[in-house]
Amino acid sequence: LKNLANKKAPAFTLTDFNGNEVSLKSYEGKVILLDFWASWCGPCVRGMPTIQELYKKYKDKGFVVIGILTFEKNFEKAKQIVTQHGYNYPMLIDDKKVSTDYLVKTTIPQYVIIDENGKIEFAKKANLPEAEKIIHSKFSN
């Protein structure tokens, strides 16, 4: 994933769980965390409370989280996880192109941080603590 670093984040428009279209472009100028996840992925689901906390803490300071449901086999189960835990950041459904553009092969969760200028600052599989550190450092000064 190193070859994603410092590149312009690939643009996308995906639909959310309610069928509304959401584009990456609409969050221009903000720090964005993309969370590629699926309901069957234990580490993905375990990381979500932390992601929700980050979102709650920094959303008013220009931080956005976008969950991207990737390789999902059970859409209803994914919706249930989100509803049950009250995750209120945007949840979008991958169209296979987005996961390809962001080099999500088979391993999830994958976290991507896009900076205010639309460049990819961080892209790693299953490394939430490192992503968390970067986000805290961006907003805590």
Side-chain angles (χ1 to χ4, degrees):
L1 297 175
K2 280 183 181 68
N3 46 0
L4 277 178
N6 298 316
K7 292 226 170 51
K8 187 147 178 49
F12 62 80
T13 299
L14 294 172
T15 53
D16 67 13
F17 285 7
N18 302 315
N20 304 308
E21 287 199 338
V22 178
S23 75
L24 184 64
K25 196 169 176 38
S26 62
Y27 297 110
E28 238 169 22
K30 297 185 184 286
V31 173
I32 303 162
L33 172 67
L34 301 180
D35 171 24
F36 292 89
W37 73 285
S39 67
W40 50 263
C41 163
C44 297
V45 175
R46 283 194 296 279
M48 290 170 91
T50 301
I51 293 168
Q52 176 67 39
E53 278 308 302
L54 285 169
Y55 178 63
K56 204 164 98 184
K57 189 168 184 178
Y58 299 123
K59 68 178 182 195
D60 297 332
K61 296 182 175 185
F63 176 59
V64 174
V65 174
I66 302 173
I68 300 180
L69 197 57
T70 310
F71 313 130
E72 186 55 64
K73 298 166 179 74
N74 185 344
F75 184 66
E76 285 311 309
K77 184 169 183 215
K79 274 173 99 164
Q80 185 188 345
I81 289 168
V82 170
T83 311
Q84 193 178 346
H85 297 281
Y87 300 135
N88 62 350
Y89 49 90
M91 291 287 177
L92 308 180
I93 302 157
D94 183 33
D95 60 1
K96 302 271 194 288
K97 183 187 180 323
V98 175
S99 51
T100 302
D101 287 349
Y102 283 89
L103 309 180
V104 180
K105 298 282 193 277
T106 50
T107 310
I108 50 175
Q110 180 167 314
Y111 304 108
V112 176
I113 297 173
I114 302 167
D115 71 13
E116 307 84 340
N117 306 311
K119 286 216 169 14
I120 294 177
E121 184 171 332
F122 173 92
K124 289 206 175 150
K125 296 179 186 323
N127 196 333
L128 188 54
E130 197 177 335
E132 205 179 342
K133 208 179 296 169
I134 291 167
I135 291 159
H136 283 307
S137 72
K138 283 188 153 313
F139 291 106
S140 56
N141 42 15

